[in-house]
Amino acid sequence: MGMVSSLLPHLINGLALGLLFALIALGFTLIVSVMEVINLAHGSLFALGAYIAMVIISPDLVMLGAAGELYGDLPLAVRYVIALVLAPLVIAVIGFGLEILLRRTYGKKKEYGLLLTFGAALVFEEAIRLVWGPAERVLPVPPGITGGFIFNGMIYSNYRIYAMVFGAAAIGVVWLFLNRTPYGAIIKAGAHDDEMVRALGINLPRLRMLVFGFGAALAAVAGIILTPIWGLRPHVGVDATIPAFLIIVLGGIGSFWGAVFAGLLVGLVVGITGAYASDWSILSMYILLIVVLTFRSRGLLGKKTALEL
Amino acid sequence: MTDGSDKPFFSAQGLQKRFGQQVVLEDISLSFERGTVSGIMGPNGAGKSTCFNVLTGVHKPDRGKVVFDGEDITGLSSPRIARKGISRSFQIMSLFDEFSALENIMVALPEVRGGLLRPLWDTRADTVVADRAAAILKSVGLDGHERTPAASLSYGQRRALEIGVALAPSPRLVFLDEPTQGLGSDGRLRLADLVQSLRDTYTLVIIEHDMEFLFRLADRISVIHWGQIIAEGTPAELRSNPWVRVSDLGKVA
Amino acid sequence: MLTSPTGAPIVTKAMLVLFAILFTYPLWAKYVGLYDYLGIEIAIFALYALGFNLLLGYTGLPSFGHGAYFGVGAYGYSMAMVELGTSPLVGLLLAILAGAVSAGLVALFLSHRRGIYFALMTIAFGQIFWFLSIKLRWLTGGEDGYLNVLRPVVELGSLKIDFGSNVTVYYFAAVLLALMVMLLWRVVHSPFGTALQAIRMNEVRARSAGYNVWLVKWTVFTLSGAVAGLAGGLLALTQESAYPNVMSLHASGFVVMMTLLGGGFVSFWGPVVGAALFILARDILGAATEAWLLWYGLLFIVVMLFEPEGAVGAWRRLAGLFVRPARREASPKVVP
């Protein structure tokens, strides 16, 4: 059994991680490219999405009474799909709220937005801790995609493959949105140019809010898919924010393919480190961030923006 | 270098600078004499700002040399160039907005700058330093505004302060980057008077758009266009220069 | 600026007020429902936040991973006491050194940046330190903590100082705080302090005025790390142990929040006020609800949105003194 084939499950894991990281990063870069806001609370939306999905899948049936009983009888797969649709919507609404909150900081020193979203991230994490406790929780997943199989002497996880496929599909949806819808066209054309947008008759504040919500929803989706791999704990928000940044820096702000390729790269690094020293795989992300920020401040594909202070 | 030696005070030779594919400066050679007012003129996009930035250490040239008072300063960083006695003002005003006018000057004084290793010296209380700063403020016409925060000054006053901060380190050579930017005719007159009052103490190099302004004040002017020096000489010589006439530089007085 | 002919003396009126409160605290604390240990914690965090504000309020550099240097100081003190058996003073000196060295190393990577990239790097380094302190069990005791850092009894000739008593530790911390207050006050009024603020307002201009901005930023980061190390060492002395949790992003966020809520953006005293408010909130609010930190975080957000000058800023407004600080303390307000 060669080195490569023993690495294969980890490669798949890396790809799955990478695609989902790319999803987080895409939501993040959309927000940044439209608003030049750095949302340090992006990871919190990731985490919250997963927790809310957990609640939707297995709510406190006693509280819901008779309707709850009916709901509880639904197969897990159905509840899972409902959660996959509903939770991101909830998070999108929260994203709207966050954007409204941030409006006061537009035009002020960049540090304010930074501090504000940092505070928001802490508040979210604390709220999660209060409601669901600090211990690790489980996001129930339909039995069809759990378990594994053996191929060529190596064990493969069904879920990782599912995550990979789902991630790729989700990225495809984002691509369609950006390239086949009018809103997408505006965003791509650099919608942070107020005058142009207004000249086109588009409501800029509404656009911002929608983009923020969309980005938040993407983070939530990524959270729902990724937390069964990573574990569902209050701190997982931070661990999701860092790759988003790293990917943006590597791939450039506002660059779709930059986010995707950089996401894959980061995912592979984390996945392969996981093969050799699983505890340290998350740490590898932070080290990679430091290395990248030390040597380049511009992305591979993106352009310099006002973030480069 | 105190006698009238034939080496210029400041010279740049064969500067080239490109950003990516774009060659912005191509074989720029300039020189300035001590005690003169020199001008650099040219339309927008000609490369004036880049030239300026290269001369003051903001960018390193890809090729070429910059020599100041016999010393090769090519490629030095802007703090080091500042310490050699070259100072600049900025076209897009660059002040310390939350400091008062006086504090803006004080920060740039060499005693304060060099006093970083004296942690127990109270800069605010030092009247000697404050007096020096006040004198400079006066020389740019801002006496009376010592305590006004820079952000609260009028546009013209900020322009004056911008120059004041450049003068604070007692430089030997001062670069002024489009000092008339945004000023009305009154402001320009005042600025011209200011420049006249400074010429005895400092060697000045002024980048400008406003030809009349330069023609009145400068001893020699270099004209940059398309990344090259296309003409050079006294205002009188330039008036009759065909290149200057032909290129899109606006009316000559 | 030209308002105070004698400038900033070594001891100001505000300092005297602080010292009066500080040194009499054990006498009246119990009458207002407070106690010695609480006072120690306030002193420790005031120290931590004062050093931190040099970076945030004065130089405008947001460090979201400062808990690393605080934690390193705690471990440094603990290891010195347990492994080397030194006196607490030497232990604290080692804590300061540890904080300074670790901050100094990190600052090599950061000093040419500011803004978001700076913040991200500080988070990344903070997480690395935190992670290492959990994983390197043989060195730090891991999540269980580095324990049994017993409070010493120090003999100076015929004088016996028993650090076992909270009152003793309190006065020790109070003296350190007082000394640090006076030292940092001089520092921010020196040319170095002016340089810090200039860099905050306009790095490019500072550079073209001849300042070696990289070096100044490196120095202030290292200095704030040293102070954090001292505070961490004091905490280890007080609680007789060192834990990884102070290095978490969560805990690093505390010092950011308390510094700003107190008014670190506009006042030298902001961090001190903020530290007191934080500890008091923790105890008083915390007794009423488990969600005290949530409320505190929400308060932080509200303050950032509406009153970024924090407690001191609000106080000044109330007291009718407008923000045009006679002595420029930290940055005056951001123009809304």
Side-chain angles (χ1 to χ4, degrees), chain B residues 17-248:
Chain B
K17 180 70 188 167
R18 60 152 44 128
F19 289 113
Q21 299 291 41
Q22 171 125 20
V23 177
V24 181
L25 296 179
E26 191 173 322
D27 195 30
I28 299 270
S29 295
L30 297 162
S31 69
F32 312 121
E33 299 299 331
R34 189 196 305 264
T36 59
V37 177
S38 307
I40 299 179
M41 197 167 81
N44 279 327
K48 300 195 301 291
S49 308
T50 309
C51 177
F52 218 54
N53 285 334
V54 168
L55 296 178
T56 55
V58 176
H59 297 311
K60 271 168 93 114
D62 299 322
R63 261 204 284 259
K65 246 174 29 151
V66 181
V67 179
F68 177 52
D69 204 6
E71 202 185 332
D72 187 339
I73 59 170
T74 321
L76 288 184
S77 65
S78 48
R80 294 190 56 191
I81 288 191
R83 286 170 196 245
K84 300 261 179 222
I86 296 179
S87 176
R88 69 170 288 181
S89 76
F90 287 77
Q91 173 187 4
I92 300 174
M93 268 185 304
S94 184
L95 296 169
F96 302 108
D97 283 326
E98 296 166 39
F99 277 158
S100 69
L102 194 71
E103 285 169 330
N104 265 270
I105 306 280
M106 267 178 45
V107 149
L109 290 175
E111 333 40 333
V112 174
R113 184 182 73 204
L116 290 188
L117 290 181
R118 296 173 56 189
L120 299 181
W121 173 33
D122 188 343
T123 19
R124 288 335 138 46
D126 191 324
T127 45
V128 170
V129 161
D131 286 344
R132 285 220 343 113
I136 293 180
L137 265 189
K138 189 155 180 214
S139 74
V140 296
L142 287 176
D143 43 311
H145 292 283
E146 284 87 0
R147 301 221 221 137
T148 321
S152 309
L153 294 171
S154 76
Y155 186 84
Q157 290 168 329
R158 283 164 64 84
R159 276 258 152 243
L161 184 58
E162 178 69 36
I163 296 179
V165 175
L167 298 178
S170 303
R172 295 185 284 154
L173 179 62
V174 185
F175 284 98
L176 299 179
D177 192 350
E178 308 225 19
T180 65
Q181 171 98 329
L183 289 177
S185 53
D186 261 4
R188 270 162 220 256
L189 283 174
R190 266 194 296 253
L191 189 64
D193 287 340
L194 174 57
V195 171
Q196 285 288 29
S197 71
L198 295 175
R199 64 179 305 148
D200 295 325
T201 337
Y202 307 98
T203 305
L204 298 168
V205 178
I206 306 179
I207 283 201
E208 253 309 330
H209 231 123
D210 180 347
M211 281 194 342
E212 299 205 20
F213 187 81
L214 269 189
F215 273 51
R216 234 179 332 160
L217 292 170
D219 302 320
R220 294 189 76 81
I221 301 178
S222 306
V223 183
I224 291 188
H225 204 5
W226 309 298
Q228 298 169 342
I229 306 281
I230 60 169
E232 203 261 327
T234 65
E237 287 166 4
L238 285 181
R239 274 201 191 105
S240 46
N241 181 308
W243 283 110
V244 172
R245 286 218 160 117
V246 146
S247 67
D248 199 9

Side-chain angles (χ1 to χ4, degrees), chain A residues 54-246:
Chain A
M54 181 184 77
V55 167
I56 294 177
I57 296 175
S58 50
D60 187 345
L61 297 172
V62 174
M63 266 196 356
L64 296 173
E69 274 198 45
L70 278 175
Y71 183 72
D73 283 339
L74 288 172
L76 178 54
V78 173
R79 284 181 276 141
Y80 182 82
V81 170
I82 293 177
L84 208 48
V85 170
L86 212 51
L89 286 175
V90 172
I91 300 299
V93 170
I94 294 181
F96 294 157
L98 201 52
E99 195 270 329
I100 293 175
L101 212 63
L102 282 169
R103 282 185 190 166
R104 274 191 79 102
T105 65
Y106 296 163
K108 288 199 201 167
K109 287 201 286 207
K110 280 274 183 302
E111 274 78 17
Y112 271 101
L114 208 57
L115 290 163
L116 204 67
T117 54
F118 181 72
L122 284 180
V123 165
F124 277 125
E125 184 175 326
E126 195 54 31
I128 290 175
R129 188 172 284 124
L130 279 170
V131 175
W132 289 292
E136 186 153 330
R137 301 289 291 255
V138 173
L139 184 75
V141 155
I145 49 179
T146 53
F149 58 93
I150 298 185
F151 178 72
N152 238 10
M154 295 298 301
I155 302 176
Y156 291 83
S157 146
N158 281 338
Y159 189 81
R160 301 286 200 265
I161 301 203
Y162 156 71
M164 223 173 69
V165 169
F166 192 94
I171 291 176
V173 167
V174 174
W175 187 89
L176 283 173
F177 171 75
L178 287 177
N179 292 291
R180 297 278 180 269
T181 68
Y183 268 130
I186 294 162
I187 291 170
K188 273 181 52 159
H192 60 272
D193 185 340
D194 292 16
E195 286 167 34
M196 187 192 82
V197 163
R198 259 188 230 119
L200 292 172
I202 293 161
N203 186 336
L204 188 65
R206 183 120 51 94
L207 177 67
R208 283 192 176 132
M209 216 171 71
L210 281 171
V211 170
F212 212 100
F214 184 66
L218 286 178
V221 169
I224 297 172
I225 307 297
L226 200 50
T227 44
I229 299 177
W230 260 1
L232 187 60
R233 346 165 270 287
H235 192 69
V236 86
V238 178
D239 291 334
T241 314
I242 296 296
F245 275 111
L246 178 52

Side-chain angles (χ1 to χ4, degrees), chain A residues 38 40 101-102 104-105 108-109 111-112 114-116 118-127 129-130 235 238-239 241-242 245-246 249 253 279-283 286-287 289-298 307-309, chain C residues 56 60 62 64 109 112-117 119-121 123-125 127-128 130-132 135-136 200 248-250 252-254 256-257 260 265 290-294 297-298 300-302 304-306 308-309 331 334-336:
Chain A
I38 300 302
L40 278 176
L101 212 63
L102 282 169
R104 274 191 79 102
T105 65
K108 288 199 201 167
K109 287 201 286 207
E111 274 78 17
Y112 271 101
L114 208 57
L115 290 163
L116 204 67
F118 181 72
L122 284 180
V123 165
F124 277 125
E125 184 175 326
E126 195 54 31
R129 188 172 284 124
L130 279 170
H235 192 69
V238 178
D239 291 334
T241 314
I242 296 296
F245 275 111
L246 178 52
V249 171
I253 291 152
D279 276 344
W280 298 70
S281 63
I282 293 200
L283 196 69
Y286 294 114
I287 296 177
L289 181 65
I290 290 169
V291 168
V292 168
L293 280 181
T294 303
F295 293 111
R296 57 185 314 123
S297 50
R298 220 162 299 192
L307 291 176
E308 285 229 46
L309 297 171
Chain C
L56 182 60
F64 292 137
F109 291 86
H112 52 294
R113 300 213 177 277
R114 53 183 315 112
I116 178 66
Y117 292 119
L120 278 178
M121 295 271 260
I123 293 179
F125 276 110
Q127 293 288 97
I128 290 176
W130 178 58
F131 188 82
L132 288 176
K135 285 295 172 210
L136 301 180
R200 184 191 73 242
S248 69
L249 185 60
H250 210 70
S252 292
F254 292 162
V256 178
M257 291 199 289
L260 292 182
F265 271 152
E290 219 185 294
W292 78 270
L293 192 54
L294 185 68
L298 285 169
F300 175 73
I301 291 176
V302 166
M304 279 287 98
L305 284 174
F306 299 108
E309 300 175 1
S331 71
V334 170
V335 181

Side-chain angles (χ1 to χ4, degrees), chain C residues 135-185:
Chain C
K135 285 295 172 210
L136 301 180
R137 294 191 66 98
W138 55 271
L139 185 66
T140 63
E143 290 215 29
D144 298 329
Y146 194 102
L147 305 173
N148 293 318
V149 188
L150 298 174
R151 293 207 201 160
V153 177
V154 174
E155 289 181 31
L156 297 173
S158 51
L159 193 61
K160 212 154 91 148
I161 306 179
D162 182 10
F163 280 92
S165 140
N166 275 345
V167 178
T168 313
V169 175
Y170 174 79
Y171 276 111
F172 187 62
V175 166
L176 285 173
L177 178 61
L179 289 172
M180 191 57 71
V181 161
M182 294 193 286
L183 177 69
L184 289 180
W185 180 265

